[in-house]
Amino acid sequence: MTDSKRRRGLVVASALLGGVLALTGCSGGGGAKASGGGDNSQAQTDEAAAKKSSEAQITITPKDGSDNASINNSASVRVAKGTLTDVSMTTTDGKAVAGALSADKTSWKPSVQLDRSTTYKLSAEAKDADGRVAHENASFTTVSPANSFIGNFTPDNGSTVGVGMPVSINFDKAITNKAAVQKGITVTSTSGQEVVGHWFNANRIDFRPETYWKANSTVTLRLALDGVQGANGVYGVQQKTVTFHIGRNQISYVDAKTKQMKVTQDGQVVKSIPISAGSPEHKTYQGIMVMSEKFKQTRMNGATVGFTDDDGKGEYDIKDVPHAIRLTSSGTFLHGNYWGAKSIFGNVNTSHGCVGLPDAKGAGDPNTPAAWVYEHSLIGDVVVIKNTGDKTVSPDNGLNGWNLDWAQWKAGSAV
């Protein structure tokens, strides 16, 4: 082959190779254009999908993963731009929680109080105006007993009590933020009397008016303590309203010197009863005391209140004390006495500090003075004891805050 032919062949080959490269380049350019067209298709697909999704917006509270949630007000489901079609709430072990939809089907909440230290799961479904469905799920854990406090209160809801009955609340945790807790408690009366709280210690607050409750009035206790911080890391969980009724005005007066008890109603003496109070060695507290418990029969053992013999056993152990009415938490009672001679009543003080009334064994005789007092007394009735020679009962020994004057009482308020 001549050199000229070889050169012509190389030129042809080069041209062919250039054509291949050009075609490859065009193919690459065509590929980029196709990819751009693919992006447009995806945007159109996304837009179409968005148009098909529900407009209903579901909100579950508390937020998913929350802890220390309230047992009263935490759980709720709401929807905007739609209506709820299904809501289910369960514990982690599958126990269902009852709840109710609002009339317009835009909200849901449990119809029962939640438990503490429990994890709950909420699942909600809603539809918008076009029937398109939306879903939402969440779980949360309620406040634990270690991080919450509860107040045990007296008197009971719906009860009828005497004019001396305070509202007494004992918390299961020490309260350091007393002002916040007290602000979460309100006590009002239909009598219009001013009611003030008094802290006896970090766990107990009592409420009362300046003078005894007005007879036949109604008292309302409102606890709005849910979420209130009582101490560092400790929150209230109670949210409730309690009402009780004040009965007739009954006050009994015990005179350890004359050894007589006079029972008055609305200021008039309705019964006079001979009694036997504490002996000179075991004097009865004096002062204003409020009946806090009643027992048809109860056991009284001296060892439980520090009266023991040399062998450590109680100086007395009576298993069937009749018609016993508690006056102090330390063990002072107004009670029936069947074991003492009838001659002691009205004449000699022989007890270990209680006030004894004539009675019969077995608490079965309704005609005894003790039975009459028992049947005609309400929790909250007042007993005023004098001339015992002993000290005045401590205001926090039972429900006996009436032994503080009004200035002293108000000084114990945190607000």
Side-chain angles (χ1 to χ4, degrees):
M1 181 182 294
T2 64
D3 290 340
S4 61
K5 289 181 178 180
R6 185 181 295 110
R7 284 194 296 271
R8 286 196 299 269
L10 289 173
V11 169
V12 172
S14 176
L16 289 173
L17 182 59
V20 172
L21 290 174
L23 288 172
T24 302
C26 288
S27 176
K33 184 176 181 180
S35 176
D39 286 345
N40 291 337
S41 299
Q42 185 62 52
Q44 292 170 354
T45 300
D46 291 344
E47 183 179 357
K51 288 181 179 179
K52 291 181 180 179
S53 65
S54 178
E55 292 185 353
Q57 299 171 2
I58 302 172
T59 302
I60 296 178
T61 56
K63 293 181 179 180
D64 185 40
S66 298
D67 57 10
N68 282 332
S70 165
I71 63 174
N72 296 293
N73 300 317
S74 280
S76 68
V77 180
R78 294 186 177 277
V79 65
K81 298 181 181 181
T83 56
L84 292 169
T85 54
D86 183 59
V87 178
S88 66
M89 183 175 181
T90 62
T91 61
T92 51
D93 58 3
K95 181 181 177 182
V97 178
L101 277 172
S102 61
D104 60 3
K105 297 183 179 181
T106 62
S107 65
W108 179 97
K109 64 180 180 180
S111 54
V112 295
Q113 188 180 64
L114 306 184
D115 295 324
R116 290 189 287 179
S117 277
T118 302
T119 299
Y120 292 92
K121 294 182 178 181
L122 265 167
S123 178
E125 177 185 282
K127 288 183 179 180
D128 64 10
D130 294 327
R132 293 171 296 194
V133 178
H135 296 89
E136 194 68 49
N137 298 279
S139 67
F140 65 92
T141 303
T142 52
V143 63
S144 69
N147 295 110
S148 59
F149 68 88
I150 286 178
N152 298 302
F153 58 85
T154 189
D156 294 333
N157 185 43
S159 60
T160 297
V161 297
V163 297
M165 187 69 190
V167 172
S168 185
I169 305 174
N170 285 273
F171 298 106
D172 62 354
K173 302 281 194 313
I175 302 300
T176 57
N177 195 359
K178 292 180 179 179
V181 171
Q182 188 173 338
K183 288 176 182 177
I185 305 169
T186 57
V187 181
T188 58
S189 172
T190 55
S191 66
Q193 292 170 276
E194 179 188 10
V195 184
V196 175
H198 179 98
W199 290 89
F200 285 112
N201 52 50
N203 293 80
R204 176 182 172 185
I205 183 172
D206 285 13
F207 291 82
R208 70 164 176 88
E210 181 176 4
T211 58
Y212 302 135
W213 300 106
K214 300 298 183 184
N216 302 311
S217 58
T218 298
V219 180
T220 300
L221 162 67
R222 291 184 177 86
L223 297 173
L225 296 174
D226 187 53
V228 174
Q229 186 170 16
N232 186 30
V234 179
Y235 299 86
V237 296
Q238 287 169 296
Q239 183 173 293
K240 61 173 56 185
T241 299
V242 174
T243 61
F244 58 94
H245 184 70
I246 305 300
R248 74 286 175 272
N249 182 317
Q250 179 167 304
I251 302 174
S252 298
Y253 297 89
V254 174
D255 189 331
K257 185 176 181 179
T258 64
K259 303 167 187 65
Q260 296 289 322
M261 181 171 82
K262 297 185 183 299
V263 182
T264 69
Q265 288 187 358
D266 300 318
Q268 301 298 314
V269 176
V270 295
K271 190 80 169 177
S272 294
I273 300 171
I275 60 94
S276 179
S279 68
E281 296 78 22
H282 306 294
K283 298 170 183 171
T284 304
Y285 288 132
Q286 55 188 18
I288 303 169
M289 303 183 202
V290 173
M291 297 180 179
S292 58
E293 289 183 294
K294 293 174 63 180
F295 304 97
K296 191 70 174 286
Q297 292 188 87
T298 191
R299 179 181 181 179
M300 291 187 179
N301 187 330
T304 63
V305 289
F307 294 124
T308 58
D309 292 324
D310 293 339
D311 60 3
K313 295 182 179 180
E315 292 181 12
Y316 57 87
D317 187 3
I318 305 170
K319 297 178 175 60
D320 58 351
V321 177
H323 300 120
I325 303 173
R326 182 183 291 277
L327 300 180
T328 71
S329 54
S330 63
T332 306
F333 279 81
L334 183 70
H335 64 75
N337 179 334
Y338 68 79
W339 54 89
K342 300 301 181 186
S343 60
I344 67 172
F345 300 104
N347 295 298
V348 185
N349 291 324
T350 60
S351 82
H352 280 75
C354 292
V355 176
L357 312 172
D359 207 346
K361 185 177 176 63
D365 185 351
N367 298 312
T368 65
W372 186 94
V373 171
Y374 185 89
E375 293 300 328
H376 288 80
S377 295
L378 295 172
I379 298 300
D381 278 348
V382 177
V383 179
V384 181
I385 302 177
K386 65 179 182 178
N387 295 326
T388 68
D390 201 11
K391 64 182 180 180
T392 298
V393 65
S394 176
D396 62 349
N397 187 357
L399 303 176
N400 299 325
W402 299 103
N403 293 284
L404 295 174
D405 64 33
W406 193 230
Q408 292 172 316
W409 185 263
K410 294 177 76 171
S413 173
V415 297

